[in-house]
Amino acid sequence: MFKLPEQAILFEESHFNAKIRQCPNCSLKWFQIFTEFLNSKGDNQTFVFIPITDDDDVSIRQCKSESALISCISSIAKLRRYLVMHYPGEEASRVAWTSSDLHIGYHD
Ligand SMILES: [Zn+2]
């Protein structure tokens, strides 16, 4: 996932970023969102990868605020399965496909 070339960077902060990536082989686009926060259990990182259409791409790029972006991407995520990679500090990482509602957590 991380090797897919970046097509657009919507937000780029140390504890929050949002990007559109595209597969060079099949042209499939992916929306990636990253959040991170520190607590007593350590460094909590979550990456979400959602396959998107060209129409989704247009909608996503129009979001100028984090809240608008999360609202947009949450409605897109309802329509398909997506990949969540969760690294909760010292606990075991969890990587899974899901179709449950998207929850973008708190970040520092
Ligand atoms: Zn591909």
Side-chain angles (χ1 to χ4, degrees):
M1 289 296 178
F2 299 106
K3 291 183 178 174
L4 296 179
E6 295 172 353
Q7 292 299 310
I9 298 176
L10 299 118
F11 292 89
E12 180 80 282
E13 299 170 14
S14 59
H15 297 119
F16 174 73
N17 71 46
K19 301 174 179 179
I20 294 167
R21 296 178 180 271
Q22 186 168 26
C23 177
N25 296 321
C26 68
S27 302
L28 180 63
K29 292 177 179 176
W30 294 82
F31 173 75
Q32 171 203 315
I33 193 163
F34 164 75
T35 54
E36 179 178 28
F37 66 93
L38 299 169
N39 68 6
S40 59
K41 291 178 180 169
D43 185 16
N44 297 265
Q45 298 186 338
T46 303
F47 292 88
V48 175
F49 291 92
I50 306 172
I52 58 169
T53 65
D54 287 340
D55 286 348
D56 298 334
D57 186 359
V58 171
S59 302
I60 290 167
R61 288 174 195 249
Q62 288 169 348
C63 298
K64 300 303 178 199
S65 69
E66 183 180 331
S67 60
L69 178 71
I70 289 173
S71 168
C72 175
I73 203 68
S74 295
S75 59
I76 291 171
K78 283 187 195 303
L79 306 174
R80 64 205 65 158
R81 275 155 45 96
Y82 59 96
L83 183 66
V84 179
M85 303 168 69
H86 187 53
Y87 303 97
E90 294 170 354
E91 296 171 28
S93 61
R94 298 191 296 273
V95 176
W97 288 91
T98 181
S99 53
S100 56
D101 281 354
L102 178 65
H103 175 72
I104 298 299
Y106 163 83
H107 63 82
D108 287 328

